[in-house]
Amino acid sequence: MTPGKKIPIFVDGVVLNGPQTDVKAGEKFVEEACRLIMEEVVLKATDVNEKVCEWQPPEQLRQLLDLEMRDTGESQDKLLKLCQDVIHFSVKTNHPRFFNQLYAGLDYYSLAARIITEALNPSIYTYEVSPVFLLVEEAVLKKMIECVGWKEGDGIFNPGGSVSNMCAMNLARYRHCPDIKEKGLSGLPRLILFTSAECHYSMKKAASFLGIGTQNVYFVETDERGKMIPEELEKQIWRAREEGAVPFLVCATSGTTVLGAFDPLDEIAEVCERHGLWLHVDASWGGSALVSRKHRRLLHGIHRADSVAWNPHKMLMAGIQCSALLVKDKSGLLKECYSAKATYLFQQDKFYDVSYDTGDKSIQCSRRPDAFKFWMTWKAVGTSGLEERVNRAFALSRYLVDEIKKREGFKLLMEPEYTNVCFWYIPPSLREMAEGPEFWRKLSLVAPAIKEKMMKKGSLMLGYQPHRGKVNFFRQVVISPQVSREDMDFLLDEIDSLGRDM
């Protein structure tokens, strides 16, 4: 036997000596893949000369990509080519002319933080396995709670605003009916929650998922700007009581998805206090205005809420997903509601302070350290830098509104309250036509047709939708600080160019 060479150990025909993985090959692949990401994603992220998307229909894209998984592995070169194809055919959400969703742009500090967490692969349920990230989450939640205006509070990061809203709904129900955790739905009265007619669709999904039932979600009428009318809320509460049902929750919205409307929180809080109802504010989109001294007035009264959902991955560009549920209660209600006391994770006789094992406050077991990427950005630019981003987004939106008013063929839906700018493009063929049923029928076809053209060209991406009786219109949302005045001008020029001959 060669000196120093170990005797192979076999179990069930498998050699157990040494690692199975080819470490050197793996390291080289990671290095090459990182170089590819840097060149094809990061360096091109803000280049307006690059396409926003390389549109292909599903069947053709399936043929262009090698999606088949085989019995034997692929070569490193083949894998790198696959990585390049994935980047090439994916939508470049970091592009300055990606305006399609309520997230956009590239924050370099958040990206670096995400690379770190992907490499470390932590799960933040206990301090012993995730000491740094649990302390980071604690620090970020504390700062966000201060932004809301509470002296103290509790909270947890969740995988998206929809989950935060659902957790808040469940928490409100638990506060009202604590026996539900053990005894379930049987024997409960008919519970009713109230939310705006403009609320996010996650409210209906949460009511369905939690067994409350979508018929027990009472939608409160809004004004012409999409804001909940407090007097209508009061009427709906009395209606529910007259039906023999039990109201327990009001969900207000700060920054609706389409119009960007902010419900009057102070007046809604008054109603909730009179009736003893939990007030949750879905500030997933609009919560970031809290970091701006100039624009936080939009959320006036939010400190009176019992819980708040806020997504830094939207306006503050923390990277998907980064969503916090903030709770005013500091008595441990959040943990009481969600804890299962798994003894293999949350042992009470550990050698350190087990109050830092915060994972039992979540509906999840494995949980990503989403606060870290927001923390890294906040550390890098400071509160003043976050405020500057928000203020710049508002200013660019104001510029776009002014340009829309100047240009023939563009018509605002309404003056925006937030950075949601909603408008129609009216092609020359319709500009002399009376605004009757036929006009609106034809106009409804314009936005989808222009959207198709812009995506196939790859020049920009912009969302459109019909909404509450209004035919298809564009919704432009400004988020990224990489967006410039020139991009606003290009947006309008491109729409006019693509739609002029319709």
Side-chain angles (χ1 to χ4, degrees):
M1 213 182 133
T2 307
K5 191 170 183 178
K6 295 181 180 178
I7 300 171
I9 303 297
F10 291 85
V11 174
D12 292 336
V14 178
V15 180
L16 302 184
N17 299 59
Q20 180 188 21
T21 306
D22 186 340
V23 175
K24 291 298 181 183
E27 290 174 351
K28 186 174 187 302
F29 176 73
V30 171
E31 184 180 345
E32 291 297 324
C34 286
R35 183 179 294 112
L36 181 66
I37 292 166
M38 193 68 192
E39 292 172 356
E40 297 299 320
V41 180
V42 178
L43 295 179
K44 293 181 179 180
T46 59
D47 188 349
V48 294
N49 297 310
E50 296 290 330
K51 286 186 175 184
V52 179
C53 61
E54 191 70 51
W55 171 256
Q56 299 290 339
E59 290 305 319
Q60 189 169 339
L61 183 57
R62 192 175 284 111
Q63 292 175 8
L64 289 168
L65 298 173
D66 181 7
L67 300 175
E68 184 68 25
M69 290 158 285
R70 301 175 177 86
D71 291 340
T72 56
E74 312 279 358
S75 68
Q76 300 279 22
D77 288 343
K78 181 68 183 296
L79 292 175
L80 288 170
K81 176 63 168 59
L82 288 171
C83 290
Q84 195 161 26
D85 288 343
V86 167
I87 294 169
H88 179 71
F89 291 111
S90 290
V91 174
K92 311 305 186 294
T93 64
N94 301 328
H95 196 285
R97 291 171 183 170
F98 174 81
F99 304 115
N100 210 67
Q101 312 298 148
L102 299 184
Y103 65 90
L106 174 64
D107 181 272
Y108 300 102
Y109 309 104
S110 169
L111 177 61
R114 282 182 275 169
I115 292 170
I116 291 170
T117 56
E118 288 299 317
L120 289 172
N121 196 33
S123 180
I124 56 169
Y125 28 60
T126 62
Y127 183 81
E128 65 185 277
V129 297
S130 197
V132 174
F133 297 119
L134 277 170
L135 293 180
V136 165
E137 182 175 68
E138 178 188 60
V140 173
L141 287 169
K142 182 175 183 293
K143 199 71 174 176
M144 293 177 78
I145 285 167
E146 288 175 8
C147 289
V148 170
W150 299 332
K151 291 182 180 178
E152 58 180 1
D154 202 354
I156 199 82
F157 273 78
N158 292 305
S162 295
V163 175
S164 289
N165 287 333
M166 183 183 71
C167 288
M169 191 179 294
N170 190 50
L171 187 64
R173 183 175 64 174
Y174 175 77
R175 198 279 304 261
H176 192 83
C177 309
D179 287 346
I180 191 174
K181 182 175 178 179
E182 294 183 357
K183 296 181 179 179
L185 297 173
S186 60
L188 279 184
R190 180 181 166 221
L191 296 176
I192 303 293
L193 68 96
F194 308 87
T195 189
S196 158
E198 295 275 344
C199 74
H200 191 259
Y201 67 87
S202 61
M203 295 302 176
K204 286 181 71 173
K205 285 197 171 190
S208 172
F209 186 82
L210 294 172
I212 293 168
T214 57
Q215 290 184 355
N216 297 318
V217 180
Y218 283 16
F219 294 100
V220 181
E221 190 53 58
T222 60
D223 63 18
E224 69 282 353
R225 296 193 58 82
K227 298 169 177 285
M228 184 191 291
I229 303 171
E231 294 78 11
E232 293 299 319
L233 171 62
E234 186 95 45
K235 291 178 185 177
Q236 292 275 36
I237 293 170
W238 283 116
R239 170 196 159 198
R241 288 199 161 134
E242 288 166 4
E243 293 171 350
V246 179
F248 78 104
L249 168 67
V250 173
C251 296
T253 309
S254 288
T256 59
T257 304
V258 178
L259 301 179
F262 287 74
D263 288 340
L265 301 181
D266 246 345
E267 294 92 326
I268 292 170
E270 292 286 346
V271 176
C272 290
E273 287 173 10
R274 277 200 299 274
H275 292 275
L277 305 181
W278 183 286
L279 174 57
H280 172 66
V281 178
D282 177 11
S284 298
W285 171 221
S288 297
L290 288 169
V291 302
S292 168
R293 287 165 290 183
K294 183 176 182 180
H295 299 292
R296 65 172 289 121
R297 57 180 171 73
L298 291 169
L299 297 100
H300 181 71
I302 195 170
H303 65 285
R304 301 175 70 177
D306 296 290
S307 57
V308 174
W310 176 4
N311 289 5
H313 73 236
K314 296 185 187 293
M315 179 71 78
L316 299 180
M317 299 169 59
I320 291 176
Q321 293 170 325
C322 188
S323 173
L325 171 63
L326 309 175
V327 181
K328 183 185 286 184
D329 176 88
K330 189 59 179 171
S331 70
L333 184 69
L334 190 61
K335 187 172 182 179
E336 286 174 24
C337 179
Y338 288 108
S339 67
K341 300 178 181 177
T343 56
Y344 69 92
L345 277 178
F346 304 110
Q347 304 94 330
Q348 296 304 294
D349 55 356
K350 292 181 179 180
F351 64 93
Y352 60 85
D353 182 354
V354 294
S355 68
Y356 288 97
D357 290 354
T358 57
D360 221 10
K361 293 191 290 187
S362 171
I363 61 169
Q364 300 169 255
C365 179
S366 299
R367 195 163 62 90
R368 296 171 64 86
D370 291 327
F372 180 63
K373 52 197 171 186
F374 185 35
W375 176 83
M376 185 67 80
T377 296
W378 207 330
K379 291 286 283 185
V381 304
T383 306
S384 60
L386 298 179
E387 180 180 30
E388 185 180 338
R389 288 182 180 185
V390 173
N391 291 344
R392 178 178 168 81
F394 271 90
L396 278 168
S397 298
R398 187 70 255 167
Y399 173 82
L400 181 63
V401 167
D402 292 341
E403 286 300 304
I404 286 172
K405 290 177 179 178
K406 293 176 189 175
R407 296 194 183 210
E408 186 181 9
F410 289 87
K411 182 179 180 179
L412 274 177
L413 199 74
M414 63 177 65
E415 286 285 339
E417 186 173 29
Y418 199 35
T419 66
N420 305 46
V421 181
C422 300
F423 63 94
W424 287 287
Y425 173 73
I426 305 170
S429 63
L430 298 180
R431 290 175 194 171
E432 303 301 321
M433 192 173 179
E435 293 186 4
E438 185 62 12
F439 170 84
W440 292 112
R441 187 192 68 78
K442 289 185 175 181
L443 186 61
S444 71
L445 306 175
V446 172
I450 292 176
K451 175 69 177 281
E452 180 182 356
K453 288 182 179 181
M454 69 173 64
M455 287 199 65
K456 288 182 174 178
K457 185 178 177 182
S459 55
L460 74 151
M461 281 185 67
L462 180 66
Y464 75 87
Q465 62 283 302
H467 189 69
R468 304 197 73 191
K470 293 183 169 61
V471 302
N472 285 323
F473 56 87
F474 290 113
R475 181 201 63 176
Q476 156 70 358
V477 181
V478 179
I479 295 174
S480 171
Q482 283 108 15
V483 174
S484 67
R485 175 191 63 79
E486 290 82 0
D487 295 314
M488 299 294 96
D489 292 337
F490 176 83
L491 170 76
L492 299 181
D493 291 341
E494 185 73 349
I495 289 173
D496 186 47
S497 173
L498 296 174
R500 176 162 290 277
D501 296 332
M502 292 181 65

